[in-house]
């Protein structure tokens, strides 16, 4: 018995000594918080911890957090902080994000994506590729945007999405400034269209697609959404798939950091724009430090 305990304690000790950031792949379906809990449970089991409960907020043996929540219906890069890395998430991830979004013309939903109920249907036969490319110009640069009602933003301490599901009446948050660095129409096969988006903090892809549909005298919603980049982490080069959620792979891919780096580490922001840190962040890409220890689900 004593012989088997030593490797377990050694593995757990190594896990607990990690301080840094790494990226994992979030699949479509679970919330970002659920994915983080699964990651934590997997790592604790590998370290030999029995009956690991990642949702317990007290007496945590491993400190993990994520920055930049993805909707449950979205997939892609989810950046995770471990140890002191959880304290650097907002600073490290204040740079640009990239998304590939597939929108569908002719239908609007209450959530602005495919998970919601259809609230409006309108004709889209009049829309051409040229029309859409022309309208996209007005959504590029520094713009004002109204966040979706179904979001992780809060009213009186409660998430708007939760209040809506409970039947409460919720008023839209006021429009706020956001930045779109690049916005390109990759494919146009009505009713579907594909956008490549590079944006700053506080930006909602769902609001963009909804506003674009209205600007084209029709309506639209997000059918699928994939985040391909967040800060310096890309989907292709850095995001670990679930089968690689092991101590070995994390150590190999982790970007180390120390407490002193919290205010000194630069983010990966386009040269023409300084990094910004919005006060509140959306469900699609907020930079709040959603630690498992005291995190809130952002859906």
């Amino acid at each position: 018995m004593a012989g088997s305990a030593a490797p377990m304690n050694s593995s757990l000790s190594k896990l607990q000594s990690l301080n840094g950031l790494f990226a994992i792949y979030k699949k479509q379906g679970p919330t970002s918080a659920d994915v983080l809990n699964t990651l934590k449970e997997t790592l604790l089991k590998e370290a030999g911890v029995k009956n690991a409960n990642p949702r317990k907020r007290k007496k945590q043996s491993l400190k993990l957090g994520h920055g930049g929540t993805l909707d449950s219906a979205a997939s892609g890069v989810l950046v995770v902080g471990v140890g002191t890395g959880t304290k650097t998430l907002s600073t490290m991830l204040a740079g640009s994000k990239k998304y590939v979004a597939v929108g569908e013309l002719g239908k609007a939903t209450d959530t602005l994506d495919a998970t919601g109920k259809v609230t409006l249907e309108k004709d889209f036969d009049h829309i051409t590729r040229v029309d859409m490319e022309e309208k996209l110009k007005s959504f590029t640069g520094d713009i004002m945007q109204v966040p979706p009602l179904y979001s992780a933003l809060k009213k009186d301490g409660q998430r708007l999405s939760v209040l809506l599901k409970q039947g409460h009446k919720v008023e839209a948050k006021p429009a706020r400034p956001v930045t779109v660095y690049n916005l390109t129409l990759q494919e146009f096969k009505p009713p579907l269209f594909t956008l490549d988006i590079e944006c700053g903090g506080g930006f909602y892809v769902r609001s963009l697609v909804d506003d674009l549909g209205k600007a084209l005298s029709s309506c639209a919603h997000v059918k699928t959404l994939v985040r391909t980049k967040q800060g310096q982490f890309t989907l292709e080069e850095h995001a670990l798939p679930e089968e690689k959620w092991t101590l070995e792979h994390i150590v190999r891919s982790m970007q180390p950091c120390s407490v002193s780096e919290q205010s000194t580490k630069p983010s990966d922001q386009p040269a023409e724009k300084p990094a910004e840190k919005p006060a509140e962040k959306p469900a699609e890409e907020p930079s709040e430090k959603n630690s498992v220890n005291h995190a809130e689900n952002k859906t």
Side-chain angles (χ1 to χ4, degrees):
M1 294 293 291
S4 62
M8 176 191 74
N9 293 335
S10 176
S11 181
L12 179 59
S13 177
K14 185 176 181 180
L15 185 61
Q16 292 173 326
S17 69
L18 297 179
N19 295 289
L21 298 175
F22 60 96
I24 62 174
Y25 172 75
K26 178 202 171 298
K27 63 183 178 182
Q28 186 178 14
T31 66
S32 295
D34 287 339
V35 171
L36 193 65
N37 283 327
T38 299
L39 170 66
K40 185 174 185 181
E41 186 174 14
T42 300
L43 291 175
L44 288 175
K45 284 185 177 180
E46 180 189 353
V49 178
K50 296 181 179 180
N51 302 318
N53 186 351
R55 289 170 175 80
K56 281 188 177 180
R57 297 191 179 190
K58 295 181 179 180
K59 297 181 180 179
Q60 293 290 331
S61 57
L62 178 62
K63 187 177 182 182
L64 285 180
H66 70 79
T69 306
L70 281 168
D71 288 336
S72 57
S75 63
V77 178
L78 185 67
V79 179
V80 177
V82 58
T84 57
T86 61
K87 299 178 181 180
T88 69
L89 283 169
S90 59
T91 301
M92 300 284 280
L93 301 176
S96 67
K97 291 87 175 171
K98 288 185 179 181
Y99 297 88
V100 174
V102 176
E104 181 176 352
L105 291 166
K107 293 181 180 179
T109 70
D110 54 0
T111 60
L112 310 188
D113 64 15
T115 67
K117 297 179 181 179
V118 175
T119 58
L120 178 67
E121 294 190 45
K122 296 188 72 173
D123 179 65
F124 56 86
D125 292 339
H126 61 284
I127 302 173
T128 66
R129 184 185 184 104
V130 173
D131 292 334
M132 183 168 287
E133 289 178 331
E134 186 63 30
K135 288 297 181 184
L136 286 177
K137 294 178 182 178
S138 62
F139 292 100
T140 304
D142 296 323
I143 64 173
M144 298 296 291
Q145 186 185 69
V146 177
L149 285 178
Y150 281 86
S151 72
L153 298 181
K154 294 181 178 181
K155 176 185 179 183
D156 300 327
Q158 289 287 322
R159 291 187 297 277
L160 298 185
S161 57
V162 173
L163 292 173
L164 283 167
K165 291 174 183 177
Q166 292 175 344
H168 297 286
K169 186 175 181 180
V170 175
E171 293 184 1
K173 291 283 186 177
R176 57 189 185 178
V178 293
T179 301
V180 180
Y181 301 107
N182 292 293
L183 182 56
T184 307
L185 179 62
Q186 291 297 315
E187 191 170 42
F188 184 72
K189 294 182 178 180
L192 302 181
F193 59 95
T194 302
L195 300 176
D196 270 1
I197 306 156
E198 182 175 11
C199 57
F203 183 81
Y204 283 91
V205 176
R206 287 179 290 142
S207 289
L208 165 69
V209 172
D210 181 65
D211 290 341
L212 179 61
K214 293 173 181 176
L216 291 166
S217 300
S218 183
C219 55
H221 69 275
V222 173
K223 192 172 181 66
T224 63
L225 179 65
V226 180
R227 181 161 60 202
T228 59
K229 173 182 174 291
Q230 184 173 11
Q232 65 271 56
F233 298 96
T234 65
L235 180 60
E236 184 176 344
E237 295 181 9
H238 305 104
L240 296 174
E242 192 165 354
E243 61 269 20
K244 292 186 178 180
W245 292 359
T246 66
L247 180 59
E248 178 186 356
H249 283 100
I250 288 172
V251 169
R252 192 181 302 167
S253 64
M254 188 176 67
Q255 177 178 322
C257 65
S258 62
V259 178
S260 61
E261 288 183 286
Q262 292 179 32
S263 59
T264 60
K265 187 70 177 178
S267 60
D268 177 25
Q269 185 83 339
E272 67 273 17
K273 286 287 178 182
E276 298 180 1
K277 182 182 175 184
E280 291 183 284
K281 293 292 184 176
E284 288 152 0
E285 36 81 27
S287 62
E288 291 185 46
K289 301 186 284 275
N290 292 298
S291 171
V292 170
N293 301 13
H294 42 268
E296 299 171 355
N297 289 353
K298 304 284 186 176
T299 59

